[in-house]
């Protein structure tokens, strides 16, 4: 409900804001419309493309002859195209949209000089497209999370710098004394990403460090893409939307501070746990393990803060699409982070380190947490940007249930597969001669035993694909259909029984 | 936390600390690690890759082999890499100083390749395995790489490089032969160059159960 409308229908439940305040918010929303649309539309297109790459890669892993004739379709290539489409195409574009919109709203500043953001957004997407094209034609660097070939990365960096500076400028001209917790996270994310990205590019691609120093830089970067870029945006968005939808303040300001700074100082040391058992200095690995365990502090603190804010509002999950996606994302943030800390414990890491368990974990974080939070944010933002309601509650419902079920099957199935794989790979027994011997001596047996779980991954991918199609159809329909003047009631899963029609939001 | 500059300072410090600790300190500590010259033979270890093997490493990079194959052996007693025959000693940082790009890897959908060149597998085996892993390793999940080979008409003498003894499904029609492309040969040269058996002072095997 974003038109400068003063009717009761425009007032949100729980948090009655002053009419002038609402008019200002509407004007701010309107000022962000163009650039945010640009990022959202491109994000949705990349999401669809990345989904196709994902399905092909997933099927190939249990059915190797599938599409085996072309080089650009081989597993190592298409899987890499999937990852980069999702990270830099879908997730980062969606993150830009949410960041710009939230930062403008929370700073109470209209977005200015939109031309720069349009250019930066177009350049960013051109850079990603060039990068994916490069990967498909065989120019991948094969450095995990940094596969985009070096002729495209400077483009990405310049575009990012422009977009990031815009967010910071918006923050600089903020109107209110109070800086909301979401703004801390967004500001940090906008500053952190260019630092880690440029440092990693220089030390890995342009002036490569020698030997396994590369691996340390690689995992410092790759883990921090999640920890210092996606996580702050995701957690920041949850901090905004849960109180917003429920119309109540955050449970505790002090927990917010504790959660933010402990995340800021612990998360970025944790990446070395990807090298446990590897040929890098033992002290660095130990530091990574310690930091990973310390991550329990921000995760539990943030989890408690979000949970206590939700408390008493759980019934709203039945109605609000935004809240439902946010809740799913928030719960999975806690789960995936605690699991991540556990995976850094050496005795557990010994089993799961080189297995599909890690792949499941990555999707748990980037999909079940971050992507679901982005979906929730988009469901809230779009009506305020287009001044239209979502055309179909059914499609939102399909979107939620298919993606939620899909990613749950994905994570559970592949995690079990990873445990089986990891256990079979290292399990030993004392032979008759007292010597250690492998319980599963044939490596091929380990490979074969993972197949059912790889098949379950393809099935979950199909469920997720259905959800994405429902989302894209609803999104495109909303963008393209003419504005219905009369339809001002928000699209909810169900009509709340106790709430008069004019108070729904 | 309403003071912008203070907030920014903390944000800056957070990432500066980890950058210093993980990236800078390690770069200083062992970023200029050098090969060791063996006193008896006068040879430097690790040895420099041949030009063809370096080409092969680029093929390995381009095809994304690293997403299923690691190149690092964990110490005996941590995991079971030694029992799997992937290497008798743990990999150490010095093993990698002659490699342009380091492919440690994080996944073992397929076996570790740190010492694949030390296994009793010849070039013919590797080529057939690349053409279609089912020929040499039935049940494998590795993709076939038919595009690394070409079927061409035999003109004059058959090529000495043509693959022999292929199963019927892969045998070229009469008058034709299946020949590996230079990329396939380079990749095989790279794979066969992967062996790290020299015992650096820091690579003495840790006794099983000694440090776990």
């Amino acid at each position: 409900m974003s038109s400068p409308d003063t009717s009761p229908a425009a007032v949100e439940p729980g948090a009655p804001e002053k009419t002038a305040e609402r008019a200002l918010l509407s004007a701010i929303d309107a000022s962000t419309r163009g650039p945010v649309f640009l990022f959202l539309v491109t994000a949705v297109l990349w999401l669809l493309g990345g989904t196709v790459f994902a399905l092909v890669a997933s099927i190939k892993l249990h059915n190797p002859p599938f599409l085996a004739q072309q080089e650009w379709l081989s597993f190592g290539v298409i899987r890499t195209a999937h990852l980069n489409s999702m990270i830099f195409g879908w997730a980062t574009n969606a993150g830009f949209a949410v960041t710009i919109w939230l930062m403008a709203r929370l700073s109470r500043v209209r977005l200015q000089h939109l031309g720069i953001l349009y250019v930066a957004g177009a350049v960013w997407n051109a850079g990603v497209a060039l990068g994916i094209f490069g990967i498909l034609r065989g120019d991948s660097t094969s450095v995990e999370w940094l596969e985009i070939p070096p002729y495209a990365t400077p483009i990405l960096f310049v575009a990012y710098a422009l977009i990031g500076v815009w967010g910071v400028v918006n923050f600089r001209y903020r109107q209110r004394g109070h800086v909301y917790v979401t703004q801390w996270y967004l500001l940090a994310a906008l500053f952190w990403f260019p630092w880690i990205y440029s440092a990693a590019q220089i030390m890995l691609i342009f002036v490569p460090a020698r030997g396994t120093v590369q691996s340390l830089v690689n995992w410092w970067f790759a883990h921090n893409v999640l920890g210092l870029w996606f996580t702050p945006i995701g957690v920041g968005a949850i901090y905004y939307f849960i109180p917003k939808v429920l119309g109540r303040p955050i449970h505790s300001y002090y927990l917010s501070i504790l959660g933010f700074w402990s995340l800021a100082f612990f998360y970025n040391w944790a990446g070395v746990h990807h090298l446990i058992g590897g040929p890098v200095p033992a002290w660095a690995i130990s530091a990574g393990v310690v930091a990973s365990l310390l991550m329990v502090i921000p995760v539990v603190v943030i989890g408690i803060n979000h949970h206590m804010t939700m408390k008493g509002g759980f019934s709203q999950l039945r109605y609000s699409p935004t809240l439902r996606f946010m809740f799913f994302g928030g719960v999975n943030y806690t789960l995936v982070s605690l699991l991540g800390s556990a995976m850094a414990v050496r005795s557990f890491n010994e089993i799961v380190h080189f297995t599909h368990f890690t792949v499941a974990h990555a999707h748990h974080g980037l999909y079940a947490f971050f992507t679901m939070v982005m979906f929730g944010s988009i469901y809230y933002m779009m009506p305020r940007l287009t001044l239209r309601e979502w055309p179909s509650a059914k499609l939102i419902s399909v979107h939620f249930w298919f993606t939620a079920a899909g990613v749950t099957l994905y994570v559970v199935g592949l995690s079990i597969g990873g445990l089986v794989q990891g256990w079979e790979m290292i399990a030993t027994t004392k032979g008759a001669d007292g010597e250690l011997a492998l319980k599963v001596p044939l490596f091929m047996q380990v490979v074969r035993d993972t197949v059912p779980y790889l098949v379950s991954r393809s099935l979950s991918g199909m469920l997720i694909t259905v959800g994405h199609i429902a989302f894209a159809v609803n999104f495109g329909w909303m963008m393209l259909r003419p504005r219905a003047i009369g339809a001002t009631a928000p699209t909810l899963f169900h009509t709340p029984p106790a709430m008069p029609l004019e108070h729904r939001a | 936390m309403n003071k912008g500059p203070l907030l920014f300072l903390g944000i800056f410090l957070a990432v500066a600390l980890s950058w210093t600790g993980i990236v800078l300190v390690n770069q200083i500590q062992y970023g200029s690690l050098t090969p060791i010259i063996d006193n008896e033979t006068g040879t430097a270890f690790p040895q420099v890759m041949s030009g063809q093997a370096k080409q092969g490493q680029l093929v390995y990079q381009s095809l994304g082999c690293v997403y299923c194959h690691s190149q690092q052996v964990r110490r005996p007693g941590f995991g079971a890499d030694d029992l799997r025959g992937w290497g008798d000693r743990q990999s150490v940082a010095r093993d990698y100083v002659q490699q342009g790009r380091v492919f440690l890897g994080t996944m073992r959908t397929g076996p570790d390749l740190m010492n694949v060149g030390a296994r009793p597998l010849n070039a013919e085996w590797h080529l057939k395995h690349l053409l279609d892993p089912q020929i040499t390793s039935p049940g494998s999940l590795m993709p076939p790489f038919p595009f690394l080979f070409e079927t061409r008409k035999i003109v004059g003498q058959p090529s000495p490089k043509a693959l022999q003894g292929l199963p019927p499904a892969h045998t070229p029609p009469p008058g034709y032969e299946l020949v590996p492309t230079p990329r396939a040969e380079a990749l095989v040269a790279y794979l066969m160059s992967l062996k790290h058996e020299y015992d650096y002072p820091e690579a003495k095997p840790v006794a099983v159960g000694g440090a776990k």
Side-chain angles (χ1 to χ4, degrees):
Chain A
M1 306 308 307
S2 76
S3 58
D5 183 347
T6 55
S7 68
V11 179
E12 294 177 37
E17 291 163 290
K18 291 191 185 94
T19 310
E21 172 83 0
R22 291 205 50 80
L24 174 66
L25 276 187
S26 292
I28 291 169
D29 285 348
S31 75
T32 66
R33 183 180 298 145
V36 170
F37 276 169
L38 173 63
F39 288 118
L40 285 182
V41 170
T42 49
V44 173
L45 292 176
W46 282 115
L47 179 70
L48 295 178
T51 308
V52 174
F53 292 148
L55 273 182
V56 173
S58 178
I59 293 169
K60 288 173 90 75
L61 208 50
H62 54 79
N63 184 16
F66 178 64
L67 299 179
Q69 295 303 312
Q70 264 78 36
E71 182 164 354
W72 67 274
L73 286 167
S74 68
F75 176 80
V77 178
I78 204 84
R79 163 235 180 266
T80 308
H82 156 66
L83 184 136
N84 284 276
S85 304
M86 288 308 196
I87 298 306
F88 296 107
W90 152 250
T92 299
N93 272 314
F96 281 145
V98 170
T99 302
I100 289 170
W101 186 81
L102 280 178
M103 197 55 124
R105 256 199 169 209
L106 288 167
S107 302
R108 295 289 186 276
V109 185
R110 285 186 189 82
L111 205 57
Q112 307 281 340
H113 304 288
L114 302 184
I116 293 178
L117 274 179
Y118 284 124
V119 172
V123 172
W124 173 267
N125 281 287
V128 177
L130 180 64
I132 304 294
F133 174 74
I135 289 167
L136 291 176
R137 71 183 287 270
D139 291 341
S140 159
T141 66
S142 270
V143 178
E144 290 192 64
W145 297 74
L146 288 162
E147 288 95 347
I148 289 186
Y151 48 75
T153 47
I155 304 175
L156 293 182
F157 183 79
V158 171
Y160 187 96
L162 284 175
I163 298 165
V165 164
W166 229 236
V168 176
V169 164
N170 235 339
F171 176 75
R172 178 71 188 74
Y173 289 101
R174 65 190 180 280
Q175 289 301 314
R176 271 190 178 174
H178 180 66
V179 181
Y180 187 62
V181 47
T182 300
Q183 287 167 291
W184 314 340
Y185 281 103
L186 297 182
L187 189 70
L190 290 173
F191 175 76
W192 283 332
F193 184 80
W195 179 318
I196 58 171
Y197 193 64
S198 53
Q201 284 292 336
I202 291 168
M203 295 194 67
L204 285 167
I205 311 294
F206 293 102
V207 194
R210 185 181 298 179
T212 59
V213 176
Q214 284 179 20
S215 314
L216 283 162
V217 181
N218 190 181
W219 286 108
W220 172 76
F221 169 79
H223 201 74
N224 283 345
V225 177
L226 292 167
L228 301 186
W229 172 233
F230 294 125
T231 299
I233 295 177
V235 170
I238 298 176
Y239 264 118
Y240 181 82
F241 285 107
I242 288 183
K244 193 73 184 167
V245 172
L246 292 178
R248 56 171 67 175
I250 279 290
H251 168 68
S252 161
Y253 179 71
Y254 295 99
L255 285 183
S256 306
I257 294 181
L258 180 60
F260 176 76
W261 288 116
S262 51
L263 181 134
F265 281 89
F266 299 152
Y267 211 138
N268 53 56
W269 283 79
V272 195
H273 63 216
H274 287 272
L275 298 167
I276 292 174
V280 295
W283 71 264
I285 294 176
S286 299
V289 173
V290 170
S292 305
L293 292 177
L294 284 172
M295 274 305 292
V296 170
I297 298 170
V299 167
V300 168
V301 164
I302 292 169
I304 289 175
N305 215 5
H306 287 168
H307 179 84
M308 295 306 281
T309 309
M310 274 294 288
K311 211 174 165 198
F314 289 101
S315 60
Q316 299 300 315
L317 289 172
R318 194 168 139 72
Y319 310 112
S320 164
T322 296
L323 196 64
R324 199 185 282 179
F325 277 98
M326 287 288 157
F327 178 75
F328 188 91
V331 168
N332 278 295
Y333 172 67
T334 310
L335 290 179
V336 72
S337 305
L338 294 178
L339 205 58
S341 295
M343 287 166 73
V345 176
R346 282 172 212 260
S347 49
F348 189 45
N349 188 277
E350 183 183 2
I351 303 170
V352 298
H353 189 75
F354 292 106
T355 70
H356 297 296
F357 197 92
T358 314
V359 183
H361 181 67
H363 287 78
H364 196 184
L366 250 165
Y367 199 96
F369 157 50
F370 184 77
T371 294
M372 294 302 257
V373 168
M374 289 299 103
F375 287 146
S377 309
I378 293 170
Y379 279 120
Y380 189 90
M381 288 158 60
M382 281 295 281
R384 287 153 182 84
L385 291 164
T386 59
L387 307 182
R388 294 165 208 169
E389 294 306 334
W390 286 92
S392 165
K394 263 260 149 54
L395 284 175
I396 305 179
S397 200
V398 168
H399 179 203
F400 178 79
W401 287 112
F402 276 81
T403 50
V407 75
T408 305
L409 174 63
Y410 187 112
V411 173
V412 172
L414 211 54
S415 294
I416 298 172
L419 286 174
V420 169
Q421 181 192 9
W423 182 83
E424 291 192 354
M425 200 131 59
I426 70 165
T428 53
T429 174
K430 269 225 161 67
D433 51 358
E435 289 285 303
L436 278 181
L438 290 164
K439 276 193 175 151
V440 186
L442 264 184
F443 184 80
M444 194 59 77
Q445 189 58 45
V446 182
V447 173
R448 286 197 192 110
D449 290 347
T450 62
V451 171
Y453 306 98
L454 297 175
V455 173
S456 84
R457 189 235 309 259
S458 288
L459 290 176
S460 73
M462 288 167 198
L463 292 178
I464 292 173
T465 305
V466 172
H468 287 173
I469 291 170
F471 171 61
V473 166
N474 219 5
F475 183 88
W477 186 3
M478 185 174 190
M479 293 286 290
L480 296 176
R481 73 165 180 176
R483 189 183 165 201
I485 302 298
T488 52
T491 308
L492 304 176
F493 289 128
H494 307 277
T495 310
M499 206 181 290
L501 188 71
E502 62 269 25
H503 282 289
R504 286 186 287 156
Chain B
M1 296 232 311
N2 293 330
K3 293 198 171 59
L6 216 59
L7 184 62
F8 182 77
L9 189 69
I11 289 169
F12 173 84
L13 272 181
V15 70
L17 272 176
S18 81
W19 179 79
T20 308
I22 299 176
V23 177
L24 191 61
V25 170
N26 281 296
Q27 170 68 16
I28 293 168
Q29 185 186 356
Y30 76 108
S32 47
L33 198 64
T34 52
I36 275 186
I37 295 168
D38 185 66
N39 286 333
E40 285 168 28
T41 61
T43 321
F45 289 95
Q47 289 180 293
V48 185
M49 262 189 265
S50 73
Q52 195 186 24
K54 276 188 181 155
Q55 293 290 325
Q57 196 192 20
L58 292 178
V59 179
Y60 189 90
Q61 170 186 326
S62 166
L63 292 174
C65 307
V66 68
Y67 301 109
C68 292
H69 296 284
S70 57
Q71 286 186 26
Q72 52 173 314
V73 178
R74 295 190 282 186
R75 68 166 189 271
F78 190 73
D81 298 5
D82 52 336
L83 299 176
R84 290 245 164 250
W86 291 337
D88 295 332
R89 65 161 174 85
Q90 63 188 320
S91 302
V92 292
R94 206 184 299 272
D95 284 323
Y96 302 86
V97 296
Q98 293 286 17
Q99 303 179 6
R101 186 154 291 156
V102 173
F103 292 119
L104 280 191
T106 48
M107 184 57 162
R108 287 175 176 170
T109 306
D112 186 90
L113 298 181
M114 187 70 180
N115 293 301
V116 66
R119 283 172 224 166
L121 304 169
N122 58 19
E124 188 195 348
W125 185 93
H126 278 294
L127 286 169
K128 286 180 177 169
H129 184 239
L130 288 171
L131 175 67
D132 186 351
Q134 307 304 327
I135 298 174
T136 55
S137 322
S140 168
L141 295 182
M142 183 166 126
F145 297 96
F147 43 83
L148 291 179
F149 298 83
E150 60 179 331
T151 305
R152 63 184 188 203
K153 206 174 169 117
I154 300 173
V155 181
Q157 287 293 314
S159 165
K161 288 177 180 171
L163 290 185
Q164 304 297 329
L166 291 169
H170 295 280
T171 307
Y176 288 81
E177 59 187 358
L178 192 69
V179 187
T181 60
R183 292 176 75 209
E185 292 178 293
L187 182 54
V188 170
Y190 171 64
L191 291 173
M192 294 183 71
S193 80
L194 291 175
K195 46 189 150 202
H196 299 271
E197 294 174 313
Y198 187 77
D199 274 328
Y200 304 107
E202 69 269 30
K204 296 280 181 258
V206 176
V208 175
K212 178 153 180 175

